Amino acid sequence: AGLWTSRDPNGWNYKDKTASADGVQKLQLKTGADTKTSVKLSARGSALVLPAAFSVSEFFDEDPNVVVQLVDGATKCWTSEFVALRTSLNTPAGFKAVAP
């Protein structure tokens, strides 16, 4: 509970420098109308469990896109699709992209 900060009425921030919960270091949830809600997630380290890399040169297969879902474990699910044109890093070492 101490890692969450309310940004009422605009959402919540989560910060854990140790990334002890599944590798999540930062999570920013901003409220908004449908299609205007924003989620930013930063995760890394040994606690982050990821699938095996797609190939020796790519972490994810972007043919045609990568779909990422963040689920709160109860009732909420946020989904984003990342296309190759908006991807700045896609190597076996990591993935970085911005949703349209």
Side-chain angles (χ1 to χ4, degrees):
L3 301 175
W4 286 97
T5 305
S6 174
R7 298 293 181 205
D8 192 32
N10 300 318
W12 292 85
N13 285 347
Y14 173 88
K15 187 183 272 187
D16 178 9
K17 290 182 181 180
T18 67
S20 60
D22 295 329
V24 176
Q25 290 180 316
K26 294 179 187 177
L27 177 61
Q28 183 181 59
L29 303 170
K30 286 187 179 179
T31 59
D34 286 350
T35 73
K36 298 298 180 188
T37 298
S38 171
V39 177
K40 292 182 181 179
L41 175 71
S42 177
R44 63 185 66 194
S46 60
L48 178 61
V49 179
L50 293 170
F54 173 71
S55 71
V56 296
S57 61
E58 292 182 314
F59 192 84
F60 291 117
D61 179 16
E62 289 188 283
D63 185 17
N65 54 34
V66 173
V67 176
V68 175
Q69 292 184 321
L70 176 64
V71 181
D72 75 352
T75 60
K76 303 284 188 245
C77 177
W78 295 270
T79 301
S80 289
E81 292 187 35
F82 300 95
V83 296
L85 292 175
R86 307 269 314 207
T87 300
S88 59
L89 177 69
N90 185 11
T91 68
F95 181 80
K96 230 182 226 190
V98 176

